[in-house]
Amino acid sequence: MADTSAALARLLRPQSVAIVGASPKPLSLGGNILANFKAFAYDGALHLVSRSQTEIDGIACVPSIDDLPEGIDLVALIVPSEAIADSLRACARRKVRGAIVFSAGFAETGEAGRAMQEEIVGIAEAANMALLGPNCLGFANFLLGVPATFEPLPVSERPTKGAAIVTQSGAMAGNLRIGLLARHVPVAMSVSTGNEAVTSSEEILDVLVDDPAVTQLVVCVEQIKKPRLFLDAARRAMALGKPLLLMHPGKSARSMEAALTHTGAVAGDHAVMECFAREHGVILAEGFDEMFDLAAIVARYPQAQVSGVGIMSNSGAVRGFTLDFCHALGLDLPRLAPETIQALAAVLPDFATLDNPLDITAQGMKQPSLFGDTTAALLDDPSIDAVVVAVVGGSPAQIMNKWNTLRPVMSKSEKPVVYIVVGDEHPMPDEFLEDIAASGVPFMRSPERALRAFRRLADRRSTTPAPLAVHPIGEADVVALSECTGKALLAANGLDVPAGRVVNSAQAAAEAAETLGYPVVAKAQSGALPHKSDAGGVALNLGSPQSVSQAYGRIIASVYGYAPEVALEGVLIERQSGPAGAELIVAARRDPLWGGVLVVGMGGIWAEVMGDMRMMPAGVDVARIEEEIRALKGAALLTGARGMPALDIAAAAGVVSRLGHILAEDDRIAGIEINPLALYPEGVGILDVLMTVRAAPAEKLETTA
């Protein structure tokens, strides 16, 4: 594919524009886009193409694209879908740098539309032409006054900097823009990418992230088509101090098929996207409210790193609710430092409870200065990174009294602060609304919204892992290996596996057990039996030659009864490990789009029923993997709960890290799941392995003997 980055940069900042299909008719698409350009007083060269008009509003028209001058930066095509291909061929003849296709009726409509879309892709790529759409709303560059959209836009003073909106949906671009403006967040650029036939959202981000006038990036897409480009843009945004907010629907959609493993179903496409995005500093919004709230907060505090939050209110009920709500969110409310308690005690009445959340009691009605004094004390606490002030407002005079004492404190705070006046849609005094907007302090009407936003900021990463080159493998190209073959590959890659031997007779099984030492386990071996126990292919706690021989016979009969066509490699006789303190499922899998993914989860019922798993990109360090293991719901079982010994989490993290490197070092391997990984006070044990590999090279892999 041709590199159109330079053409795309010119498309978004055009010095010359042509509108094909311009019209004098009000409210027509061609009329709307022309009206936008005139209203915004576009100061570049503006050309009009119309078959029926010789001039519109004093601007001369030419009858065809072939009559335009060469090298125009942007051509806006207001023509039917069936005429787009010929129009683009004409653009190519005139060496047009970029075009917008507004028309629908392409890949979103079925096979015929998909064929039309592929045709225009070929034309644009052959001409090295940037192409936005089809089926899009276009874009608006408010910095330069380029309203290349048929959406009627209100004219306002050009911003000098602001947020850049990138979304596939045209309606979403408009909704996000008006929502941000309502939260006093200036908008520098708004781009709708539509079907993304040629130019993707990631390529738009790649251009915009380096623009010094872009202060934050607000993104809503249904699919990230070029993950590496997206992550590179996210990494650069982080380095430049530009927050990248992402809303990405699709959590409830069917995950990628990965039926062979427990972890595969959890590591679906949306979950994988989330873990990579979060690890690269992207702030994930779970809906419109969160997107607007986060944008308002990071517009004022772009470098916000939130861990512990302080809450102040003049209501005991608000205090109780926020305690419960933060517990459910997993948002830390630190205990107040001694010096903070001392500062609060100096101004609050004796009956006030000096804690976080802080209720200043009804004393604030008599002494409004308490609102500012107590907020200042919370902001000075070294364990508090952000403060939410959630008050019951009262009369207009009371609202202004509270704000007047809070304004000097909140407006100069370098730590993130959000001011809440509870009461839903109860109107606020105009004087207050104007003043808080001028102060830049984010204002909301419920503490939940501020606390959810701070929870998302608490998830924000400030560093990114070193990427591991893990090449994709299609799901259909994968086959499973037997446990013994998988363990042999792990051993060859530096991991300890239990001593064992594959046998093909009852006598050989008994002899192997005598050599290994009792107790032993016996397990049927075949890549076609990913879940051996379902077929009766496992026997545990075998303590004598006779029990081993009998178990061998039972296993063979049971497996062939369950799956007569299965090709058994034999039965693995393995020294049985001692009872574990706990068990984990750990895995590394090769995602077709994003690369290597690591998964850790509590074993047994925790994985099957509770879904207690955590995910991260391959390449994160061992300390990061330990952090994720300790974040499991059942992590208390690993850390010494109720008198149990603490288990070797560091050793488990080391195994998980190694699995990621195995994927990077051996392109044959698609996925590795160790289930279970037994944890002991010292060390771990790899008890069972399910490994999948590329179908073709699988025949060349040697089995253990």
Side-chain angles (χ1 to χ4, degrees), residues 420-634:
I420 311 292
V421 178
V422 297
D424 198 26
E425 296 300 320
H426 181 72
M428 295 285 100
D430 290 342
E431 179 187 1
F432 165 74
L433 293 175
E434 292 170 3
D435 199 54
I436 196 168
S439 75
V441 174
F443 174 61
M444 303 174 193
R445 297 307 303 269
S446 71
E448 302 100 295
R449 294 182 65 156
L451 295 170
R452 284 195 189 98
F454 283 144
R455 170 69 265 186
R456 301 302 169 209
L457 291 174
D459 290 335
R460 185 186 194 185
R461 293 279 164 188
S462 57
T463 59
T464 61
L468 281 178
V470 179
H471 302 296
I473 296 177
E475 296 283 344
D477 302 327
V478 167
V479 296
L481 301 180
S482 63
E483 174 191 354
C484 59
T485 305
K487 283 183 173 175
L489 284 170
L490 292 186
N493 281 278
L495 291 175
D496 291 331
V497 299
R501 184 181 301 172
V502 176
V503 299
N504 285 283
S505 70
Q507 180 179 347
E511 291 172 354
E514 287 288 312
T515 301
L516 293 167
Y518 296 103
V520 297
V521 298
K523 295 180 276 188
Q525 297 298 295
S526 171
L529 288 175
H531 306 304
K532 298 179 285 292
S533 57
D534 293 348
V538 178
L540 306 174
N541 300 311
L542 304 175
S544 68
Q546 182 180 14
S547 65
V548 173
S549 297
Q550 292 172 346
Y552 179 92
R554 287 196 307 273
I555 286 172
I556 296 296
S558 179
V559 168
Y560 282 125
Y562 177 83
E565 74 288 350
V566 73
L568 278 179
E569 297 173 18
V571 174
L572 174 63
I573 307 299
E574 194 173 74
R575 178 69 182 270
Q576 183 165 319
S577 302
E583 295 179 346
L584 294 178
I585 292 178
V586 302
R589 68 184 292 264
R590 194 183 296 268
D591 184 83
L593 285 176
W594 292 89
V597 182
L598 305 178
V599 183
V600 297
M602 296 300 298
I605 191 172
W606 291 87
E608 297 282 354
V609 178
M610 304 297 291
D612 191 12
M613 293 192 175
R614 307 285 294 186
M615 192 185 308
M616 67 218 90
V620 296
D621 59 26
V622 174
R624 178 80 177 85
I625 299 170
E626 279 197 55
E627 179 184 332
E628 289 296 328
I629 294 174
R630 293 179 187 277
L632 291 166
K633 299 172 188 173

Side-chain angles (χ1 to χ4, degrees), residues 179-240:
L180 293 180
L181 293 174
R183 301 301 295 272
H184 309 291
V185 177
V187 176
M189 183 90 69
S190 177
V191 185
S192 159
T193 60
N195 288 11
E196 301 190 357
V198 174
T199 301
S200 68
S201 299
E202 301 83 29
E203 289 167 316
I204 299 290
L205 286 174
D206 187 55
V207 171
L208 295 183
V209 71
D210 296 316
D211 189 326
V214 170
T215 56
Q216 63 172 293
L217 299 138
V218 176
V219 183
C220 179
V221 293
E222 288 79 29
Q223 181 185 11
I224 295 174
K225 296 179 178 179
K226 299 178 179 179
R228 292 185 182 180
L229 187 59
F230 174 79
L231 295 179
D232 180 65
R235 192 179 297 111
R236 282 158 42 218
M238 184 191 303
L240 292 168

